[in-house]
Amino acid sequence: FPTRRFADLLKSFFKAHPYMGGRDRRWITQLVYHYFRLGQWGKALPVKERIIAGAFLCETAPNDFLAAVKPAWNQQTALPLPDKTALLPAALMPEDIFPLLPELSGEMDANTFAYAMLKQPRLFIRVRNNKLDKVLQLLDKAGTLYEVFANQATVALPNGTSIESIVQEKSWYEIQDASSQQTGELFLPARQQRWWDCCAASGGKSILLKDLQPDVNLLVSDVRRSILENLQQRFAAAGIKHYEAQVADITAENFPASMGGRQFNGIILDAPCSGSGTWGRTPESISFFQKEEIEKYQQLQKRIAKNVIPFLKKGGALIYITCSVFK
């Protein structure tokens, strides 16, 4: 299981059980994710009890599931979390939910972070091409709740919002977490500068860079060809045409030779990491991630940083990013 994304496993499961309707699929998905949000809590309990407890803690309004299996709890779903946990068969401590709390960065409030795992994060979009008014009109028409951030580009929506069906013009927005959008404040690109997104993945940071300054000369690279193919499709939908793409293993000994003498004004290093800052979206990772992997990621990140720095022009900027919460 840890070798495949859980979302992909769910898709395979539903494909093998085509008789399930949309409502069944939504509830199965929710209940399994609720189960994983409990981290290591209640592992000695029967699976059924743990699923019910997860639904009680994570749901905030009465629902058909709890009405059927635990009516007494169903009427108390709106209670504050401390009152809910008092009704559980065993105490719920922060370290039960997130066993790696000692590894968190010192600036973080460990208890707040752990309990945040029980809540599904909102969906965030970054509005592009000065289309905020048009996007908000469509959201109002659809009756969708939203919050516009102070930068007038970041919009928060309820999780599960089908933004694709509401705003059908894909070039008007990008789905991108608020913290990821915020990294763009560090880029400061100028016209005709050379920039390199060296671990580009699906290209979210590169699109942000191009939106800030369309006239940068951009190189995107990733070790996985399939990921770059996805990036190219995303770029096409976003209307981005002028860039260079390269499959590259930055950790390989022969990597520097493949780059020639190229130098960059800016390098975006969105380094491979635990992804622990996004486990609110993938809570299954809490159960399967091993502490030893932190050091493996650390060594990988150091190796990549060491190999890309020689390609940075004097006075240039290395933008180092991870979505890890570990110190």
Side-chain angles (χ1 to χ4, degrees):
F1 165 174
T3 61
R4 291 182 63 191
R5 286 197 324 134
F6 183 64
D8 295 332
L9 288 172
L10 273 176
K11 287 180 182 178
S12 299
F13 174 79
F14 292 138
K15 188 175 181 180
H17 300 80
Y19 56 85
M20 291 182 176
R23 187 169 177 275
D24 295 332
R25 296 178 183 218
R26 282 194 300 275
W27 263 112
I28 289 171
T29 300
Q30 280 180 246
L31 292 175
V32 175
Y33 277 116
H34 292 342
Y35 173 93
F36 282 125
R37 288 186 186 284
L38 299 181
Q40 301 298 322
W41 177 85
K43 283 296 181 76
L45 294 174
V47 171
K48 178 180 177 180
E49 287 189 32
R50 204 159 173 264
I51 290 175
I52 294 171
F56 176 54
L57 292 173
C58 299
E59 295 287 334
T60 57
N63 55 78
D64 292 344
F65 173 76
L66 285 175
V69 299
K70 197 82 169 178
W73 280 3
N74 189 45
Q75 300 306 315
Q76 302 183 76
T77 49
L79 288 175
L81 185 60
D83 294 340
K84 284 186 173 184
T85 57
L87 299 173
L88 297 177
L92 179 68
M93 305 301 291
E95 57 269 25
D96 295 328
I97 301 173
F98 198 85
L100 295 168
L101 288 183
E103 303 300 323
L104 291 184
S105 295
E107 297 84 356
M108 300 191 65
D109 184 315
N111 288 2
T112 300
F113 178 75
Y115 288 126
M117 293 294 106
L118 299 176
K119 186 176 181 181
Q120 180 82 348
R122 290 183 293 178
L123 173 69
F124 293 93
I125 62 172
R126 180 173 62 83
V127 179
R128 307 175 63 232
N129 302 324
N130 298 313
K131 299 297 185 181
L132 180 63
D133 288 345
K134 291 185 179 296
V135 168
L136 296 187
Q137 287 173 13
L138 292 172
L139 291 173
D140 287 334
K141 184 178 179 181
T144 303
L145 298 174
Y146 59 82
E147 177 188 355
V148 181
F149 283 34
N151 63 8
Q152 295 292 294
T154 305
V155 180
L157 305 164
N159 190 273
T161 299
S162 179
I163 187 64
E164 297 86 354
S165 61
I166 298 172
V167 184
Q168 297 184 6
E169 179 48 65
K170 184 63 183 72
S171 65
W172 288 5
Y173 71 93
E174 285 290 324
I175 295 175
Q176 188 173 27
D177 273 338
S179 55
S180 181
Q181 296 182 38
Q182 193 176 11
T183 62
E185 297 175 10
L186 303 171
F187 293 173
L188 306 178
R191 293 186 71 243
Q192 301 306 314
Q193 282 188 340
R194 296 182 62 84
W195 280 68
W196 176 26
D197 189 351
C198 63
C199 297
S202 61
K205 304 295 192 308
S206 286
I207 296 175
L208 178 52
L209 175 72
K210 276 284 195 178
D211 283 349
L212 291 169
Q213 179 48 261
D215 293 327
V216 295
N217 297 303
L218 174 64
L219 169 67
V220 293
S221 67
D222 199 276
V223 70
R224 302 155 294 180
R225 182 177 298 278
S226 60
I227 291 293
L228 280 183
E229 290 171 354
N230 291 340
L231 174 149
Q232 290 167 338
Q233 293 176 10
R234 189 175 178 185
F235 273 24
I240 293 175
K241 299 177 181 178
H242 303 296
Y243 64 95
E244 180 184 355
Q246 177 179 331
V247 178
D249 181 359
I250 300 174
T251 65
E253 289 185 13
N254 64 346
F255 165 73
S258 69
M259 291 290 287
R262 284 190 276 195
Q263 293 280 288
F264 299 91
N265 302 95
I267 298 176
I268 301 171
L269 172 49
D270 194 352
C273 71
S274 64
S276 45
T278 65
W279 285 356
R281 299 197 185 283
T282 57
E284 67 274 16
S285 303
I286 302 171
S287 297
F288 292 93
F289 186 83
Q290 300 297 314
K291 179 181 175 181
E292 296 72 28
E293 294 181 59
I294 297 176
E295 185 175 355
K296 292 179 183 177
Y297 278 116
Q298 182 189 48
Q299 297 305 316
L300 175 63
Q301 291 162 1
K302 286 183 177 180
R303 197 155 65 244
I304 293 174
K306 180 181 178 182
N307 286 350
V308 303
I309 284 173
F311 299 98
L312 189 64
K313 284 185 177 181
K314 185 176 181 179
L318 173 68
I319 313 297
Y320 182 83
I321 305 165
T322 74
C323 53
S324 172
V325 294
F326 297 133
K327 58 191 173 187

